[in-house]
Every structure is written in structure tokens, then in C-alpha cells.
């Protein structure tokens, strides 16, 4: 099939690469000329395991191409996927200006039947607003061209997106058209060989399913962090509690690990948008608001514990392991590390930081600062540091050289935001070890 994708960010690039790998002919369009030039040179602007190799293969086979030419993209695809960003507005709503701009562009150039699909995470009602803008642009030209609009939300985890796309739990399609159903079965046939993964439903339900999924996952994280904070105050061990509740099949073990809060491009933005459009529909959603309130508070606990353990951080140097919001990505959007560094700098501390993938991203975000040193290894981060804070559970942080730490950390204080180590072992080794929800 010929497929056009608008937006070469995380969702658009992964979607385009995986569809091309399956045999479709994909043209990815973006208004960012520099990004398209980089992609045409084989440079991947994001870190996602396995993505670079797939893009290289598909570009070589000419099944995947990149362009800034919007009319060419409209002309190319029978399926037109909108995968542009939907950032948060000041009031929490999803900003749909990029989605609507693509819809207008499609209507301005469309000359034969196509299916316009919203792949971006968008609030309920967006498909109808896309339909309206395509129709308006067609009417301006005096053109009568048949088209359909459908919802096909993505469910990709950063760091595991290739597997998620190639081996999906489900493929949600919102449509009221049998013609669209047939085309989507053809599009996703390579990903449904084992058993049918496609789930067809009405468009509003498909749009809400994406928000409901992210809302549920974020709720589990915030709930477990609440339990961890209670455990700290009553002398319980949240790790034992986690195993106790996880053994119940109605709850399960997924997403019940306490920590220093969630981040990334999805959960924070989508929770705010869900609360906003619930209010627009006339419903007050206190649980949704509370999930985000708990998460923002949880991000601040790293600094609170560190400051208490050191008796203040002014003039201190703090080592940070992990800058990305999760392992296997370089994404620092809403990452706990960013909240921590802001608090440290405000209090007069300096930071020595290391992350296996997010160093370039951190340098772009903060530039040159006297109070930030980005170093080449986890060991280098410890040099001259008073204390260590762990923000991301990268695999290379899991095996700890306690002798090295003892020789490097001036105050032997470790604040572990991801509960990587055994508290008893760490304290027997002479460290002040502060984690999340475990006895001190």
C-alpha cells in the first residue's frame, strides 16, 4: 500500500519505518527541513533501539522516503496518517493547531479518494474537526473528492516501540465505514498473523481509548507512590506490599513499581488533556487531577530526602545517574531529573550528571552552565560529589561497586529514586541509603 505520514517525530518515524519494513511504500513528510535533511543522510533524531537499522534498510530498498513537499505526500498515499505533535496548552488542553494544519493541507491538495487517520493522541471530537477542515479546504477549491476520516491511536512505549508496533496487543481503529475497515485490515495484515489484533469501534470510543489507557497506567503509578509514602511513615516495606498485591491476578505486577514519578511525552500531557475535555463535557474528574498532583509531588521527594540527609545542599556537588525519564530513550520531557536539577540549582548546589543516551538532549536543554557538568561515565559523575541521586533505572546502574562509591562520595549519601538496591546491604556497606517506600 502507498502510505503518507505527516510528522517525523517519535510516533511518525516509528510508524513509517515499521510499515515500510512490512512491505508498504511510505512517504514521511515534515515541515522541519533540517530534520528531513538529517533523515535523508541516515541520521536518526531520536534514540529508539532498533529504529536506525530499520530506517537504513527501508531507505535502501526505496520503501521509505522523506520529504518537505506536502502536496507530494497528499498525492502519494491512499492512507494519510497524521502523526504530528499535540502539545499541552496553558489550560491543559491538547493544542491541535498542527493536526488541523495537516488536515487543511490535505484538503488543499487531495485529488482522489484517501483515508485520513489521526495517529496522534487527540481528544474526542478531533476526527470530526479534521473532517470539517478537509471539507472546507476542498470547498475552497471547488473540488468534490471523496474521503474518509478515521481514528487509529498509537500505543507505543518509548524504548520498546519497535516491538510494540510489530507485535501489538491490539490495533484500535475508529470508523463507521466498511471501506475503511477493509483498507485497515490490508494495512495491518502483516502484524496480525498470529491472531487478529484489529479492534474496530466508533470514532469517539477509539479517541477516548488512548486517553483511558494512559490514564489507567499513570493512575497505577501514582497510587503505588502513595502507598510507598505511607509505607515510609508506618515502617512497612513497599517491596513486600508490591509483591503481595501483584500476586492478585486482578491487579498484576505491571506498573506497580514505586519511584520518583513518571515523565515523558505522553502521561503528563494526556492526563491534563483528559481532565480538560472532561470538564468541557460538563464532568468534574477529581481522580484524573489527583493522579497528576501526586506525580508532581513525588518528583520533589528526591530533593527533600537529599536535603534532609545532607543538612542542606548549598555549595554541595550532587552526582546524578540518569537524565531520561525512563531507560532506552533520550527523552527528557517532564523527567524527574529536570525537577531535581531545578531544585538543586535554586538551592545553590552544583550537578555532575551522566546518562547513557540523554547527554546531547540535556546539553541542548540547558546549554553551558557553571553549575552543570555532563560527564562521560557513571564513575566520572562521582568525582568530587557529596551525594548520589539515581533518577533512571538504566541497566548499567543495577550492578554497584560499593568500594568505588565509598572512595568517591564525600558524604556517602545515596538517594535512589528507582529502588535499585537492597537497603540492608547498602547500609551495612556504610551508606546513608534513602529509597522509596522502604524502611530507613
Amino acid at each position: 500500500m502507498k502510505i503518507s505520514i505527516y510528522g517525523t517525530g517519535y510516533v511518525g518515524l516509528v510508524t513509517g519505518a515499521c510499515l515500510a519494513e512490512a512491505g508498504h511504500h511510505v512517504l514521511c513528510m515534515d515541515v522541519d527541513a533540517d530534520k528531513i535533511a538529517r533523515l535523508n543522510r541516515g541520521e536518526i533524531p531520536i534514540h529508539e533501539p532498533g529504529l536506525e537499522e530499520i530506517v537504513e534498510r527501508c531507505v535502501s530498498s526505496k520503501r521509505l522516503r522523506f520529504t518537505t513537499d506536502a502536496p507530494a505526500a497528499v498525492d502519494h498515499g491512499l492512507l494519510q496518517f497524521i502523526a504530528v505533535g499535540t502539545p499541552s496548552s496553558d489550560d491543559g488542553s491538547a493544542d491541535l493547531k498542527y493536526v488541523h494544519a495537516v488536515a487543511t493541507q490535505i484538503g488543499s491538495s487531495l485529488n482522489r479518494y484517501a483515508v485520513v487517520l489521526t495517529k496522534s493522541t487527540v481528544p474526542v471530537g478531533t476526527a470530526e474537526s479534521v473532517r470539517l477542515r478537509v471539507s472546507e479546504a476542498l470547498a475552497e477549491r471547488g473540488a468534490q473528492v471523496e474521503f474518509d476520516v478515521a481514528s487509529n491511536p498509537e500505543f507505543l512505549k518509548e524504548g520498546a516501540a519497535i516491538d510494540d508496533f510489530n507485535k501489538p496487543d491490539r490495533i484500535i481503529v475508529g470508523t463507521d465505514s466498511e471501506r475503511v475497515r477493509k483498507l485497515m485490515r490490508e494495512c495491518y495484515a502483516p502484524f496480525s498473523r498470529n491472531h487478529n489484533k484489529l479492534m474496530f469501534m466508533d470514532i469517539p470510543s477509539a479517541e477516548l481509548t488512548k486517553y483511558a489507557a494512559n490514564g489507567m497506567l499513570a493512575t497505577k503509578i501514582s497510587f503505588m507512590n502513595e502507598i510507598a509514602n505511607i509505607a515510609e511513615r508506618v515502617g512497612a516495606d513497599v517491596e513486600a506490599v508490591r509483591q503481595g498485591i501483584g500476586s492478585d491476578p486482578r491487579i498484576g505486577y505491571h506498573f506497580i513499581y514505586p519511584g520518583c514519578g513518571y515523565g515523558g511525552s505522553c502521561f503528563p500531557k494526556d492526563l491534563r488533556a483528559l481532565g480538560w475535555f472532561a470538564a468541557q463535557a460538563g464532568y468534574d474528574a477529581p481522580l484524573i487531577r489527583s493522579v497528576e498532583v501526586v506525580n508532581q509531588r513525588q518528583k520533589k521527594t528526591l530533593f527533600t530526602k537529599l536535603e534532609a540527609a545532607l543538612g542542606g545542599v548549598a555549595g554541595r556537588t550532587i552526582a546524578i545517574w540518569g537524565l531520561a525519564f525512563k531507560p532506552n530513550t533520550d527523552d527528557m520531557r517532564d523527567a524527574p531529573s529536570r525537577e531535581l536539577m531545578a531544585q538543586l540549582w535554586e538551592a545553590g548546589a552544583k550537578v555532575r550528571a551522566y546518562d547513557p543516551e540523554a547527554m546531547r538532549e540535556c546539553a541542548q536543554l540547558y546549554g553551558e552552565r557553571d553549575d552543570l557538568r555532563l560527564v562521560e561515565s557513571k564513575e566520572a559523575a562521582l568525582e568530587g560529589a557529596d551525594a548520589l541521586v539515581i533518577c533512571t533505572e538504566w541497566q548499567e546502574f543495577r550492578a554497584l561497586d560499593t568500594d568505588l562509591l565509598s572512595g568517591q562520595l564525600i558524604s556517602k549519601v545515596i538517594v535512589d529514586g528507582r529502588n535499585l538496591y537492597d537497603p540492608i546491604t547498602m547500609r551495612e556497606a556504610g551508606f546513608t541509603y534513602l529509597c522509596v517506600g522502604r524502611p530507613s
Side-chain angles (χ1 to χ4, degrees), residues 1 3-5 11-12 14-20 22-24 26 79-83 115-120 150-156 161-162 164-175 180-200:
M1 302 183 77
I3 296 171
S4 296
I5 296 178
V11 173
V14 170
T15 299
C18 290
L19 288 172
H24 298 304
V26 179
L79 304 182
Q80 307 261 330
F81 285 92
I82 301 177
V115 183
V116 181
L117 298 121
T118 52
K119 177 65 78 173
S120 305
S151 172
N152 179 216
E154 55 85 16
F155 295 93
L156 305 177
I162 302 301
D164 285 346
F165 198 99
N166 290 332
K167 302 173 184 177
D169 299 314
R170 75 288 204 200
I171 301 167
I172 303 292
V173 178
T175 182
V180 173
R181 292 188 189 98
K182 182 179 179 181
L183 289 171
M184 297 309 287
R185 289 189 188 101
E186 183 181 351
C187 175
Y188 285 114
F191 309 97
S192 299
R193 298 297 186 193
N194 187 28
H195 63 275
N196 184 31
K197 307 291 181 65
L198 277 160
M199 299 177 66
F200 292 106

Side-chain angles (χ1 to χ4, degrees), residues 27-91:
L27 180 60
C28 291
M29 183 270 163
D30 203 296
V31 296
D32 188 335
D34 180 63
K35 183 187 287 187
I36 292 298
R38 290 177 60 195
L39 286 165
N40 282 322
R41 291 195 301 267
E43 300 174 17
I44 307 301
I46 59 174
H47 174 73
E48 180 61 38
L51 179 60
E52 184 173 358
E53 294 81 0
I54 293 176
V55 171
E56 183 179 351
R57 286 196 299 270
C58 293
V59 168
S60 296
S61 67
K62 302 190 185 312
R63 291 196 306 273
L64 179 62
R65 295 182 294 125
F66 303 99
T67 186
T68 57
D69 189 340
V74 177
D75 185 62
H76 173 80
L78 172 61
L79 304 182
Q80 307 261 330
F81 285 92
I82 301 177
V84 294
T86 54
S88 282
S89 299
D90 291 340
D91 61 2

Side-chain angles (χ1 to χ4, degrees), residues 342-390:
Q343 290 177 290
L344 288 171
W345 292 329
E346 186 177 356
K350 293 184 177 181
V351 171
R352 293 178 64 86
Y354 168 73
D355 186 285
E357 294 294 341
M359 304 294 275
R360 180 185 297 179
E361 178 68 14
C362 189
Q364 289 177 343
L365 285 170
Y366 297 110
E368 293 287 335
R369 300 180 56 120
D370 293 337
D371 49 10
L372 173 62
R373 179 77 183 275
L374 299 176
V375 296
E376 69 281 359
S377 68
K378 63 180 183 179
E379 292 82 10
L382 302 173
E383 295 174 8
D386 292 275
L388 167 66
V389 183
I390 301 166

